[in-house]
């Protein structure tokens, strides 16, 4: 980010995405959408609120949650709920990806969809169960948390 003019383009893009999704364009919605789009990670509401406030000024916790729900409902954000962690948000890319969660540090990384299309996995279910999506969470240790193999 350099100079004030640099912020105009992402702002316009955020506004366009809100309109396309059928949402009213408001400053908090633009700010939260920009905060999510700026990061490649999976951020919780607190972190997003902090980042959005740098763009739009004060934003209450409740306002942040309202915006996150509206953007998620409209299909602009993807919300991932992992037991033991606050809900994480990322830009919805409709790529049907899964997540790996590190048991050591809590880091979350994307895992590509196994077959490239939903529902990705075929559960063993009786006929007439219409599976539409598979959201898989892989648990384990990231390289930073894994115990290094003994040096030989
Ligand atoms: Zn880790
Ligand atoms: Zn993800």
């Amino acid at each position: 980010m350099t100079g004030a003019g640099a912020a105009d383009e992402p702002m316009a893009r955020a506004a366009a995405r809100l309109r396309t999704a059928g949402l009213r364009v408001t400053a908090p919605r633009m700010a939260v959408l920009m905060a999510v789009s700026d990061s490649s990670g999976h951020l919780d509401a607190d972190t997003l609120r902090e980042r959005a406030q740098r763009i739009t000024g004060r934003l209450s916790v409740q306002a942040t949650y309202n915006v996150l729900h509206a953007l998620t409902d409209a299909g602009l954000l993807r919300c991932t709920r992992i037991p033991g962690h606050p809900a994480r948000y990322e830009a919805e890319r409709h790529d049907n990806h899964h997540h790996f969660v590190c048991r050591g540090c809590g880091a979350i990384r994307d895992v590509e969809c196994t077959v490239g299309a939903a529902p990705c996995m075929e559960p063993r279910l009786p006929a007439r169960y219409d599976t539409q999506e598979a959201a898989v969470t892989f648990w384990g240790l990231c390289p930073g948390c894994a115990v290094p193999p003994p040096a030989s």
Side-chain angles (χ1 to χ4, degrees), residues 64-91:
T64 306
Y65 276 104
N66 292 346
V67 169
L68 287 170
H69 288 152
L71 296 181
T72 305
D73 286 349
L76 292 173
L77 298 190
R78 174 168 167 185
C79 172
T80 301
R81 291 173 197 283
I82 291 161
H85 293 263
R88 308 294 182 102
Y89 297 87
E90 67 189 302

Side-chain angles (χ1 to χ4, degrees), residues 42 78 80 90 93 97-99 108-110:
H42 304 81
R78 174 168 167 185
T80 301
E90 67 189 302
R93 285 169 285 138
H97 71 261
H98 308 299
H99 292 107
I108 299 178
R109 68 162 292 159
D110 289 343

Side-chain angles (χ1 to χ4, degrees), residues 26-47:
T26 66
R29 285 177 180 173
M30 281 196 285
V32 171
L33 195 54
M34 285 164 67
V36 174
S37 307
D38 270 1
S39 91
S40 52
H42 304 81
L43 302 179
D44 61 25
D46 282 349
T47 311

Side-chain angles (χ1 to χ4, degrees), residues 102 105 142 145:
C102 176
C105 64
C142 74
C145 294

Side-chain angles (χ1 to χ4, degrees), residues 49-71:
R49 176 169 165 252
E50 199 180 285
R51 294 194 184 188
Q53 289 193 122
R54 285 186 222 148
I55 301 168
T56 189
R58 213 192 114 63
L59 205 58
S60 72
V61 172
Q62 191 55 51
T64 306
Y65 276 104
N66 292 346
V67 169
L68 287 170
H69 288 152
L71 296 181

